[in-house]
Amino acid sequence: MTITTDKYRIDSHKLMFHPQRVSDWLDGGNIFPIYAEISPSGACNHRCTFCALDYLEYRPVFLDAALLKSRLTEMGRLGVKSVMFCGEGEPLLHREIDDMVNHAKEAGIDAALTTNGVLLNGELFGKMGESLSWLKVSINAGTPETYAAIHRTKEADFDRVIENMIQAAKIARENDFSCTLGAQLILLPENAHEVETLAGIVRDAGLSYLVIKPYSQHLKSLTTTYEHIDYEPYLSLADRLNRFNDDDFRVIFRQNTILKLGQQSRGYDRCLALPFWSHIDSHGNVWGCSAYLGDERFCYGNIGEQGFAEIWHGSLRRASLEYVSKCLDVAECRVNCRMDEVNRYLWELVHPSGHVNFI
Ligand code: SF4
């Protein structure tokens, strides 16, 4: 029997499940996005060595919760289907994070959250777990020493995060939350020897999956320490991690993403994905792409000044899309960016081979 290790298609994309939105876009419609990322907090309590957004400087800026909630109501009405609270900083540093998550769900939008898990205590998870489709903890080592070195924090945080994961899994089980709990490790030379240890810890904590993801250099990041990691020696990890897989737990080794690091071409010449997603930062700015936060060419407006629909149909976004369709060379973009698989899919849709009718 084949075990599907990646049932949530984390190493792929999910746009094929939204044929109507894609069809409207193909017909030239000015569609609203399916998915948006939201940064509730610019501040972070860790300083991970691989942090792609170090250039944003972890400023203590917090999204206005009342304002976001009113925009979420509007976004749900417009057809935004999911939001992920993540971001420039640690989302749980925002004091009203549970309120924003619960409001997203009430607005008809699926909500998810990524966190380093340090502040994920049982009380907080209990207040928002029912509204979350999934929650993913970023934990990048299997021992307190390595964890402290990579997250650049104290060793005690490692045990605290594991205890929080155990508590969250227990609360989810006892309350019958449908929230899928997972964890993620960015594979680095410093933690590769601890991946199997972490897989055992995460499984025993009661989570549903652990993602192993390669690093990719963000072009604006201050750090370039990991720019040239050779992942070839780590590919054998995929087989070794198979032993952790069972009906309740999966290790999702992002082999497809790793193998793409070595490809010469991205498989598409232009970015077609921007109509399908968006990013709202801690200042309330709406961006076309999370790989270009801070780059004014991708800023569509601010939710404090305009409604979401007004921003989405506004002149800044029109000019940005014009720039992206005519001028942006995707070779300049972050390799394996969030929309890479979506772009490959869309590019093939609009540039089909001559044999597609032979289904
Ligand atoms: S980074 Fe990716 S999603 Fe962003 S503009 Fe480039 S190709 Fe598009």
Side-chain angles (χ1 to χ4, degrees), residues 74-92:
E74 180 196 3
M75 288 161 72
R77 199 167 31 77
L78 296 173
V80 173
K81 288 177 179 283
S82 66
V83 290
M84 178 178 71
F85 293 91
C86 56
E88 299 149 65
E90 165 53 44
L92 299 190

Side-chain angles (χ1 to χ4, degrees), residues 82-112:
S82 66
V83 290
M84 178 178 71
F85 293 91
C86 56
E88 299 149 65
E90 165 53 44
L92 299 190
L93 282 171
H94 197 298
R95 289 177 198 276
E96 292 158 279
I97 183 68
D98 52 323
D99 197 19
M100 292 187 284
V101 166
N102 289 328
H103 190 88
K105 191 67 188 167
E106 282 161 25
I109 302 173
D110 292 346

Side-chain angles (χ1 to χ4, degrees), residues 37-42 53 61-63 84-89 91 94 279-284 293:
E37 295 179 349
I38 297 172
S39 284
S41 161
L53 298 179
V61 177
F62 297 94
L63 198 51
M84 178 178 71
F85 293 91
C86 56
E88 299 149 65
H94 197 298
H279 185 106
I280 300 174
D281 74 12
S282 56
H283 296 267
L293 300 184

Side-chain angles (χ1 to χ4, degrees), residues 271 274 277 289 291-292 328 330 333 337 339 343:
C271 177
L274 300 193
W277 80 317
C289 170
Y292 285 98
L328 181 74
V330 290
C333 290
C337 72
M339 287 294 134
N343 262 323

